[in-house]
């Protein structure tokens, strides 16, 4: 069932668990995540970056594929189709294309401009029944081989954005996309507590879910995190399983190369990763 993310996140916030956002890149990933959510009776959010949207030929293709897959696979758990780190223009394209949720990442704008643009998009989403995520304080990550540390959000700026009526807020608390470096100091729970103090019951979003130790994940959930994004871990699991399959020489079929067989081990590996995360986040059985 394609829904916006509002209710599932409110329930998660109240029930002290988090809904996983798993990013999709193609048909196999989408199918693996949807089937696992159904098996685990868990709500789920499918994340689509602008790059992944482009790769899949455009947001309309993605929205049509997801809607058809939910129907043909008989998926009854709540599924939100969410734009990940959207630009202002990208948000409008996804609203048009039939997404049920968007993230407007205005964290690189001056706070006044972030507020203005977020406010406008909150209004459009409310009219059309979509949920919306905003970001304050940039999330670190690797760029040109250099890993930038995550910036910590200013709690007052978080309140200014939360008060605009967004459904979920990504606040930087030292989290980073991709693998965490050896010298990573860990999540700043001090920042998280200060943000929670200001924004009350607003569901908070933790980006960079790959490689955060389980105890930190649990503590973050206890402090108001209701959505956790995972991408890199699925990519690594997919790549590793595919590499092993090729190294074992199994892709050489008698009748020639079979893409369905080649992609099957990676797809299974994604299912395993998603299942583990849903267990860790506590969303199993919460559909
Ligand atoms: P990872 O790639 O570190 O799992 O982060 C995913 C994410 O936050 C997508 O927005």
């Amino acid at each position: 069932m394609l829904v916006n993310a509002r209710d599932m996140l409110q329930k998660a916030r109240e029930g002290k668990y988090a809904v996983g956002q798993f990013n999709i890149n193609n048909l196999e990933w989408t199918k693996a995540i949807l089937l696992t959510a159904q098996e685990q009776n868990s709500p789920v959010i499918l994340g689509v970056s602008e790059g992944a949207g482009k790769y899949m030929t455009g947001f309309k293709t993605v929205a049509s594929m997801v809607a058809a897959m939910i129907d043909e696979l008989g998926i009854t758990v709540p599924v939100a189709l969410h734009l990940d780190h959207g630009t202002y223009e990208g948000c409008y394209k996804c609203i048009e294309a039939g997404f049920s949720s968007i993230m407007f990442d205005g964290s690189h704008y001056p706070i006044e401009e972030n507020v203005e643009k977020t406010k406008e998009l909150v209004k459009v989403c409310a009219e059309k029944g979509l949920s919306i995520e905003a970001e304050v304080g940039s999330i670190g990550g690797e760029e040109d081989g250099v890993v930038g540390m995550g910036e910590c959000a200013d709690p007052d700026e978080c309140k200014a954005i939360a008060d605009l009526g967004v459904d979920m807020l990504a606040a930087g608390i030292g989290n980073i996309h991709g693998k965490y470096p050896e010298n990573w100091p860990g999540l700043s729970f001090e920042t998280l507590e200060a943000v929670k103090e200001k924004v009350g019951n607003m569901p908070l979003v933790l980006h960079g879910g790959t490689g955060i130790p389980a105890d930190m994940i649990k503590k973050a959930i206890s402090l108001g995190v209701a959505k956790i994004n995972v991408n890199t871990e699925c990519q690594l699991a997919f790549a590793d399983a595919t590499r092993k399959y090729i190294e074992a020489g199994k892709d050489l079929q008698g009748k020639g190369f079979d893409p369905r067989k080649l992609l099957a081990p990676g797809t299974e590996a994604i299912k395993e990763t998603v299942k583990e995360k849903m267990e860790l986040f506590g969303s199993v059985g919460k559909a």
Side-chain angles (χ1 to χ4, degrees), residues 100-142:
S100 65
S101 190
I102 55 165
M103 172 187 190
F104 169 56
D105 181 356
S107 62
H108 51 281
Y109 289 116
I111 183 72
E112 298 75 22
E113 198 170 350
N114 191 358
V115 166
E116 268 324 296
K117 290 193 157 65
T118 303
K119 201 168 168 180
E120 178 190 313
L121 285 160
V122 163
K123 189 163 174 279
V124 179
C125 286
E127 281 163 12
K128 299 196 180 264
L130 283 84
S131 49
I132 175 166
E133 172 179 348
E135 175 170 329
V136 181
S138 71
I139 317 283
E142 189 177 319

Side-chain angles (χ1 to χ4, degrees), residues 21 23 84-85 176-178 207-210 229-233:
Q21 172 190 304
N23 284 43
D84 190 26
H85 290 284
I176 301 173
H177 290 125
H207 281 248
T210 295
N229 295 4
V230 178
N231 178 36
T232 305
E233 208 157 323

